[in-house]
Amino acid sequence: MSGIRIGKPFATCAGLLTLGVLTTGCSSPKPTSPLRQATELWGELKPVVSVKELMRDMIDPASDYVFDSVKTQVTKNGVIETEPKTDADWEKIRIGAVTLAEGVYLLKIPRPFAPAGDENNSTGPDSTELSPAQIKAKLEADPVLWNAKIEALRNVGLEVLEIVKKRDAKELWDAGENLDKACEGCHIIYWYPGDKALLERLDRSLEKLSGQQGDKTGRRGTPGQPPK
């Protein structure tokens, strides 16, 4: 009795089937983006406070660690120079820089711009601030600009971290000016774009940061607090 012969078409199909199984077994799944992996691992990130509260309770106090690290005060008793000298001084500046660089990314998480019922100083004839609804509309109209402002502040935090590594107090003056510009560059768009008086106060504060007479306290305001 002759053996069973497998025809060429059948052998070809069997070969293709085997190749398909091998290809499927060897191919790796498509890589998952880091953001998607984080979401799957930790779940959706949920905000605790509004933008206004986050700025007041985290970002602004952190920025003060940088702003207050170097300054010149002219008093009736003479000129008082302040700069970091001890390990504790530099550690405080580092804490401020880390908090700025990491904390500002929390502004990428969608959240209310102000607590419920808080409309900023956006009503009445003397109003100078945008309402939360107006700020939200600006962000939604140009989210790229919002993220650019976030990155600008983060870059200052990274700059200060490098300065801390070198412990170069002189560079903190420029970092303080960059921080002031990053803060005001965002506030003047999203918080008080019509406040011309603020621009004048900003110019005076930048002059003080450049080493001219006075204490470096005429800088940016913080959402929820009037500019100084």
Side-chain angles (χ1 to χ4, degrees):
M1 183 177 178
S2 61
I4 299 176
R5 299 177 62 188
I6 299 177
K8 184 175 180 181
F10 182 84
T12 302
C13 290
L16 290 174
L17 178 61
T18 302
L19 178 61
V21 171
L22 289 174
T23 302
T24 302
C26 294
S27 62
S28 58
K30 294 182 178 180
T32 304
S33 68
L35 179 59
R36 184 173 179 181
Q37 288 177 341
T39 301
E40 291 174 351
L41 178 61
W42 297 309
E44 294 291 341
L45 298 177
K46 298 179 181 179
V48 175
V49 296
S50 66
V51 170
K52 192 171 186 175
E53 293 166 297
L54 182 67
M55 295 298 296
R56 182 193 67 200
D57 299 335
M58 176 186 285
I59 304 300
D60 187 61
S63 69
D64 284 339
Y65 284 174
V66 179
F67 280 124
D68 295 338
S69 62
V70 288
K71 57 185 176 181
T72 300
Q73 292 175 282
V74 179
T75 70
K76 62 180 181 180
N77 297 321
V79 177
I80 301 176
E81 299 281 353
T82 299
E83 66 178 34
K85 295 181 175 64
T86 67
D87 290 346
D89 292 338
W90 284 105
E91 182 62 21
K92 180 180 284 189
I93 299 169
R94 186 179 188 281
I95 289 171
V98 170
T99 305
L100 285 175
E102 295 283 7
V104 72
Y105 264 23
L106 295 176
L107 292 175
K108 291 177 177 281
I109 301 174
R111 67 182 67 233
F113 282 92
D118 186 343
E119 289 297 315
N120 297 330
N121 180 22
S122 61
T123 58
D126 298 325
S127 62
T128 57
E129 301 174 1
L130 297 181
S131 68
Q134 290 172 315
I135 298 173
K136 181 180 179 182
K138 274 181 169 282
L139 185 154
E140 292 177 345
D142 191 354
V144 174
L145 179 60
W146 176 258
N147 278 294
K149 297 303 181 183
I150 290 173
E151 292 296 336
L153 184 53
R154 176 179 168 84
N155 286 340
V156 178
L158 297 176
E159 175 190 1
V160 176
L161 279 176
E162 291 301 313
I163 293 173
V164 171
K165 291 178 183 178
K166 296 182 292 184
R167 294 202 170 192
D168 189 340
K170 292 181 180 179
E171 291 191 15
L172 287 171
W173 288 101
D174 288 338
E177 184 172 347
N178 292 339
L179 179 55
D180 193 73
K181 289 179 178 178
C183 292
E184 286 300 344
C186 185
H187 294 169
I188 205 66
I189 293 175
Y190 295 105
W191 183 20
Y192 34 60
D195 190 353
K196 294 181 180 179
L198 173 102
L199 290 175
E200 295 175 357
R201 292 195 292 273
L202 173 59
D203 289 339
R204 290 196 297 270
S205 72
L206 291 179
E207 289 177 358
K208 292 176 182 179
L209 282 170
S210 298
Q212 295 187 13
Q213 177 175 310
D215 181 10
K216 180 195 60 57
T217 55
R219 57 182 186 273
R220 79 285 172 266
T222 302
Q225 300 173 357
K228 300 175 182 178

